Amino acid sequence: MKNGKNLTIRDIAEAAGVSAATVSLVLNGKGDISGITRAKVLEAVASLNYIPRTNKTTAEPGETLRFLKIAKHGHTVNRDHSVFISDYIDGMSAEATRRNYTLEVVSFEGQPISSVAESLAGAPISGVIALGTELTEADIRLIQGLGYPTIFIDTFFDVLDANFVDMNNEDAVYKVLSRFHQQGFRRIGFVASHVETTNFRLRRDAFFKNMARLGLVVDEADVLSVESTYDGAYSDTRQLLADGLELAECYFCTNDIIAYGFIRALREHGLTIPDDVSIIGFDNLPQSATMDPGLTTIEVSKRKIGYLAVTILDDLIQSAEPQPAVKIQVGAELVLRGSHEKLSLRTGKRGAQKQKQPAE
């Protein structure tokens, strides 16, 4: 079978059951083509991983990069994460300006990926950065198949031939579990989510892998699954508590939004944070610093990810030859606040320090 680079428009036309002329019109954003026909062509492009030939190897200064802010279902890309997305855009914008590009931001909410792909066909842009948080492998293939130099951020696929800049989820989760382990916790819980995103899956995998790495046993009863929105996480946790959930000593929450909902439900159940249950989140959203107690959480430089996305994209645009896929994972830091350390442990540490002081 031909690979994506050796396929022709005729191959796409045959797969889609249309003429080669129709495929050409769809890929160039021209002609009065029905939505159904466009969707058939774009599906064929995605399934065959077609990469159109192009005579353009370099971009002129001052051309446009397009950032696609895609919310397929909105369970993770929503107003609760607006600051998170803004940090990505800040990093991209600064580097795009430095490299003499214009950054264009286009949002898609609740629309099929075929609509996103259709908006790109024939667009006067040099390259694409796509927010991949809620995208599947098939979605990425469809966007990648349109032939523009493309970078996907906030997602990661090991074996997919595409360019990614994401956080290092395994390293981040190891930092969380190591902190709990250093405090003497052995029964460590995980508040996961049944919402399908790649980063959620990677964090779940990292939880089990790193628990084993630290010699800790996972009790499946301590692995919870809740909705990823604040209201959903709160409601699901309330139900779990009403059903008689036996809580672990501490929990790593998949992200800060889930942690906020989880903590609210625990407090309404009469529990205090961190003395009854210790909590660590992920994302370091602004509210995490203003809570009482502050939420210990993972900080990843979103601006760094945005900067790297533009840097790699510019290299792809300027290269005269096809380049191998680039996959970068940015490291994380654990931001320590009050939500993870029990008063008894803090008191114990202070006592230990006093014992080490020499007698006067």
Side-chain angles (χ1 to χ4, degrees), residues 114-131:
S114 59
S115 295
V116 179
E118 188 174 339
S119 75
L120 290 173
I125 56 177
S126 300
V128 175
I129 300 172
L131 182 66

Side-chain angles (χ1 to χ4, degrees), residues 50-70:
Y50 172 65
I51 302 175
R53 294 186 178 91
T54 176
N55 295 323
K56 185 175 181 179
T57 56
T58 60
E60 296 296 327
E63 292 191 358
T64 300
L65 306 180
R66 181 176 292 182
F67 173 55
L68 305 175
K69 179 186 172 186
I70 305 169

Side-chain angles (χ1 to χ4, degrees), residues 145-205:
L146 293 172
Y148 291 101
T150 303
I151 309 292
F152 297 91
I153 64 171
D154 204 41
T155 192
F156 192 89
F157 289 87
D158 283 321
V159 297
L160 193 57
D161 190 22
N163 303 293
F164 299 101
V165 184
D166 193 19
M167 58 206 68
N168 189 329
N169 284 286
E170 185 166 336
D171 171 65
V173 174
Y174 179 76
K175 286 180 167 67
V176 171
L177 299 182
S178 293
R179 184 67 184 184
F180 279 146
H181 186 242
Q182 290 165 9
Q183 291 177 264
F185 292 125
R186 293 298 177 265
R187 187 180 172 189
I188 301 174
F190 176 45
V191 186
S193 177
H194 40 263
V195 172
E196 287 294 326
T197 76
T198 300
N199 280 332
F200 283 5
R201 175 179 56 79
L202 291 173
R203 287 170 206 169
R204 184 185 181 94
D205 292 346

Side-chain angles (χ1 to χ4, degrees), residues 236-258:
D236 287 350
T237 303
R238 281 192 63 185
Q239 187 61 54
L240 289 169
L241 292 168
D243 291 341
L245 173 67
E246 183 183 340
L247 290 164
E249 298 174 281
C250 57
Y251 285 91
F252 162 52
C253 295
T254 301
N255 67 13
D256 285 359
I257 296 297
I258 288 174

Side-chain angles (χ1 to χ4, degrees), residues 104-142:
E104 175 183 88
V105 179
V106 181
S107 296
F108 296 87
E109 296 185 9
Q111 299 177 50
I113 295 301
S114 59
S115 295
V116 179
E118 188 174 339
S119 75
L120 290 173
I125 56 177
S126 300
V128 175
I129 300 172
L131 182 66
T133 313
E134 297 183 355
L135 300 185
T136 65
E137 182 174 331
D139 297 333
I140 287 171
R141 289 187 183 278
L142 179 54

